[in-house]
């Protein structure tokens, strides 16, 4: 790294040829072999090393819990004290539990990694003089990167050559407006914002093109140094925050009770080592130690299912937000409409067809080299003109401030500038307008006529672009200051029909409790027309001008009632999303353009598409493989399914744990022996883990996905108390029957409770997994199959010599009717309790 630092020092002030030489590069880039060597030397081009856990580290992680470590140590200690059988049983069960978690987590990690490969961000670079695309993490110092509008800048770079390059540096400098960049040299002591010949990692190209020499990568970049100083991590989602703190609460309560149980057992003169092991085993069984693993498995399974619906998840924890989303903001083009712009006609100021306007628009679209867009593509393909007599001389790329694109072409020694863009912005730089006969009039004389044509076409759903030109004589190079004194030639009339079935898709979203809001830069008449076509009309339309006049408080009050925002500037999208969030919504934003990045960042759910510009894909939490609202509907359903299955485990684990805490505490007060031996506690825990691991595959009732659901700690705590106490009631009933009715010996007591505890825990999963009557909501075949296998295994252990290994005994046949009766009563009471609970307690 020292070598890289030496080469990179004050790179903005060094002559370009010397910098190339110092980095051992050339304008055509590095060779493949040299690039490979540098990748080994400097490492991947990442601010934060990707945490790709290896097989061994995942396995070791299963045993990192302090409780597990203490338990292993205590088991080894008991072996030294000649209690070898119990020690072996404990260690085997702990190992088996770890293998189970390892197998699940390794599969989940591998599956998610494969999905992320699909939407990897790439950079276009020169290698051996040829343009190739490589993953952005493979970029090395000395690479020459080719940049276009929308590209993420992959390192700290020095511009080799550029053409009207504008870069968004807000992430580093806080500057709102794009900064113009160009080749050259600046002073060594220039501040970051003054280094106009340099590009920095973490920023992105707004417009223009450039070739740039990569000087610094990874942590050595300006962005990397900022990240190192801040040492920040991604903001927790609501789900992550809730799970973490609820897990801590349960662990604290459990540890307090375990210490109390240990103290009680010692007080009643039970063996100290056995009491210690028993308490530790309870800690393993009672704390929700599987909660992180189960959540990871559920989320990764959800990510795989969402991928089948063509939704790639970039951040697993965002799945919950996806399911909680109740407002979706989206552009109009490509979501409500087909996204395939067609040119209806080119007209002059009187509304008649204009061959000249067509030709000039075609020249402008054919020679532009900035950000590729569907409008220019439509102009190029709708009609063909012979422009072999024209030669491109210069260009000012489109940007979101000017909203114009200008091209200079040469013909017969003269230079002509042709400008195409938003109608108002083109009219604003025109002083004359050309009539059908070729004569010109002052623009003010026909501005009302142009506006009337614009409004008429817009009300019919057509988009319009203005076309203007200016003779430059011998002048060749231009800048934005040349866009003045132009001759307005006419309008391009465009249309983009609504997608087939989009109205039904919007209705499906509405049925899922998600309201769609359109945020578009198009004029309000076009937006209102399309809104009417797809079923979003009839409400108020807010324009960018309206937003300028409106306070944040007023916008927050109105934003829920507005479905269409039109003529919106890029920086206003973020404001709309903030207003929706302040109004109590979980907001999703779907965007694929350069000007969507900030909105994607601030939304609760950032959604982009695979064909989006790099900066949009990088900012998104989810990437759609198709820009289709129908795909999004399926993704929302899968997100809610994943969240629902995760909550099933939370409900089951918290209620069962809380019940067992009370049962163990009570048993320790009146029993003269340990209710279960340490190894038996761990075996019970392992047996109940197996069905829980299949929760991710379970079916979800329609009502669980029909509306957004959010993490609700109060609801879960209430659920835990109600069903935990119900579990304890039937545990005590089992204790009473075993002791006072069946007069069970200590070994028979432990065996009977083991049978009742495991089977009832697995049966209650089938009850609380649904709000319906359990028999009316069938579980998945995997959950049901594993549950039945656990029942069989429990009965085999309790009725064969296998149980003797774990300290159990064969139960007399007379025990089973009593245990069965308790199980039936428990399930029946659980169903009644569930019905009353959901009637009285709202989630």
């Amino acid at each position: 790294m020292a070598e890289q630092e030496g080469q990179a020092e004050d790179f903005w002030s060094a002559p370009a040829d010397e910098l190339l030489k110092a980095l051992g590069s050339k304008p055509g880039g590095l060779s493949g072999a040299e690039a490979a060597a540098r990748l080994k030397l400097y490492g991947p081009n990442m601010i934060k090393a990707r945490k790709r856990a290896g097989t061994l580290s995942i396995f070791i992680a299963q045993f990192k819990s302090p409780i597990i470590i203490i338990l292993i140590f205590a088991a080894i200690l008991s072996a030294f004290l000649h209690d070898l059988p119990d020690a072996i049983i404990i260690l085997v069960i702990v190992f088996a539990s770890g293998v189970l978690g390892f197998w699940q987590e390794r599969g989940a990690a591998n599956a998610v990694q494969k999905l992320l490969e699909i939407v990897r961000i790439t950079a276009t670079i020169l290698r051996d003089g040829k343009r190739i695309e490589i993953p952005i993490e493979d970029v090395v110092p000395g690479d020459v990167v080719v940049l276009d509008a929308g590209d993420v800048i992959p390192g700290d770079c020095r511009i080799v050559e550029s053409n009207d390059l504008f870069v968004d540096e807000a992430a580093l400098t806080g500057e709102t407006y794009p900064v113009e960049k160009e080749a050259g040299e600046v002073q060594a002591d220039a501040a970051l914002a003054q280094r106009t010949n340099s590009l920095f990692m973490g920023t992105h190209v707004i417009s223009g093109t450039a070739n740039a020499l990569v000087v610094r990568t990874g942590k050595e970049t300006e962005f990397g140094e900022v990240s190192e100083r801040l040492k920040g991590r991604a903001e927790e989602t609501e789900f992550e925050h809730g799970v973490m703190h609820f897990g801590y609460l349960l662990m604290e309560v459990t540890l307090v009770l375990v210490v109390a149980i240990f103290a009680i057992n010692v007080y009643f003169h039970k063996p100290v080592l056995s009491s210690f092991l028993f308490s530790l085993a309870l800690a393993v069984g009672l704390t929700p130690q599987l909660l992180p693993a189960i959540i990871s498995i559920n989320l990764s399974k959800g990510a795989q299912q969402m991928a089948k619906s063509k939704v790639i998840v970039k951040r697993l924890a965002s799945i919950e937000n996806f399911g909680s989303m109740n407002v979706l903001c989206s552009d109009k083009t490509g979501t409500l409409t087909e996204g395939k712009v067609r040119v209806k006609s080119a007209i002059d100021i009187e509304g008649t067809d204009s061959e000249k306007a067509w030709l000039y628009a075609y020249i402008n679209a054919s020679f532009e080299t900035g950000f590729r867009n569907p409008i220019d593509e439509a102009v190029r393909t709708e009609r063909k003109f012979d422009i072999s007599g024209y030669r491109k001389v210069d260009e000012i790329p489109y940007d979101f401030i000017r909203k114009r694109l200008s091209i200079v072409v040469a013909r017969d020694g003269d230079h002509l500038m042709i400008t195409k863009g938003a109608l108002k912005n083109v009219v604003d730089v025109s002083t004359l307008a050309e009539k059908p006969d070729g004569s010109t009039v002052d623009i003010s004389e026909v501005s009302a006529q142009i506006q009337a044509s614009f409004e008429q076409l817009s009300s019919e759903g057509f988009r319009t672009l203005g076309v203007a030109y200016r003779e430059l004589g011998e002048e060749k190079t231009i800048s934005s200051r040349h866009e003045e004194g132009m001759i307005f030639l006419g309008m391009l009339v465009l249309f983009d029909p609504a997608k087939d079935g989009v109205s039904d898709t919007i209705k499906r979203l509405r049925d899922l409790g998600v309201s769609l809001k359109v945020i578009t830069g198009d004029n309000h008449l076009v937006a209102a027309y399309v809104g009417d076509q797809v079923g979003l009309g009839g409400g108020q339309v807010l324009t960018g001008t309206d937003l300028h006049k409106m306070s944040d408080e007023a916008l927050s009050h109105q934003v829920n009632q507005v479905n269409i925002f039109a003529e919106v500037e890029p920086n206003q999208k973020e404001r709309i999303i903030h207003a929706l969030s302040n109004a109590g919504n979980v907001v999703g934003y779907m965007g694929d353009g350069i000007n969507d990045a900030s909105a994607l960042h601030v939304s609760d759910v950032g959604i982009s598409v695979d064909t989006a510009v790099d900066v949009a894909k990088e900012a998104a939490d989810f990437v759609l493989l198709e820009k289709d609202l129908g795909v999004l509907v399926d993704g929302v359903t899968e997100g809610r399914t994943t969240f629902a299955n995760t909550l099933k485990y939370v409900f089951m684990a918290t209620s069962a744990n809380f019940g067992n805490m009370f049962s163990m505490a009570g048993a320790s007060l009146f029993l003269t022996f340990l209710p279960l031996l340490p190894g038996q506690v761990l075996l019970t825990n392992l047996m109940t883990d197996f069905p829980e691991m299949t929760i991710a595959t379970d079916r979800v009732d329609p009502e669980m996905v029909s509306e957004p659901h959010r993490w609700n700690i109060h609801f879960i705590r209430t659920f835990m108390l109600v069903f935990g106490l119900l579990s304890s009631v039937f545990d005590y009933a089992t204790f009473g029957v075993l002791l006072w009715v069946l007069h069970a010996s200590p070994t028979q007591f432990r065996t009977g409770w083991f049978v009742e505890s495991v089977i009832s825990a697995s049966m209650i999963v089938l009850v609380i997994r649904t709000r319906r009557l359990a028999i009316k909501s069938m579980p998945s075949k995997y959950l049901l199959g594993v549950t039945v296998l656990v029942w069989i295994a429990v009965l085999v252990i309790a009725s064969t010599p296998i149980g003797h290994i774990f300290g159990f005994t064969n139960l007399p046949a007379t025990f089973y009717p009593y245990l069965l009766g308790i199980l039936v009563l428990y399930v029946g009471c659980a169903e009644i309790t569930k019905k009353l609970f959901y009637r009285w307690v709202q989630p």
Side-chain angles (χ1 to χ4, degrees), residues 376-437:
D376 285 330
E377 196 67 39
V379 173
R380 288 190 292 266
T381 56
E382 194 72 27
R383 282 188 64 182
K384 299 290 184 182
F385 291 86
D386 180 9
I387 58 172
S388 57
Y390 294 90
R391 177 176 56 86
K392 179 181 175 182
V393 177
D394 202 3
E395 173 181 6
I396 310 176
Y398 180 90
D399 65 56
F400 297 100
I401 299 172
R402 294 167 34 254
K403 296 184 179 179
R404 295 184 295 265
L405 165 66
S406 293
I407 300 286
V408 177
V409 291
R411 186 182 188 189
D412 301 329
D414 291 325
H415 295 96
L416 175 71
M417 182 172 77
I418 302 171
T419 298
K420 170 173 61 53
L423 182 65
K424 180 181 182 301
N425 298 60
V426 173
V427 169
D428 286 346
V429 295
S430 300
T431 54
L432 300 174
E434 186 171 300
K435 299 176 72 174
D437 61 7

Side-chain angles (χ1 to χ4, degrees), residues 267-289:
Y267 178 79
F268 285 107
H269 305 293
K270 296 168 187 175
V272 174
L273 180 59
S274 294
S275 297
F276 179 59
L277 286 172
F278 172 69
S279 299
L280 289 176
L282 279 183
V284 173
L286 302 183
T287 56
Q289 59 174 17

Side-chain angles (χ1 to χ4, degrees), residues 573-610:
K573 296 179 179 181
E574 189 174 340
R575 188 178 172 215
I576 293 168
I577 290 169
H578 276 306
L580 285 164
S581 296
N582 292 338
N585 300 292
V586 178
V587 187
Y589 181 82
M590 183 173 173
D592 60 357
I594 304 161
N595 59 337
D596 291 317
S598 61
L600 288 165
H601 271 298
V602 301
S603 61
D604 298 301
V605 184
I607 306 161
S608 192
V609 292
D610 192 37

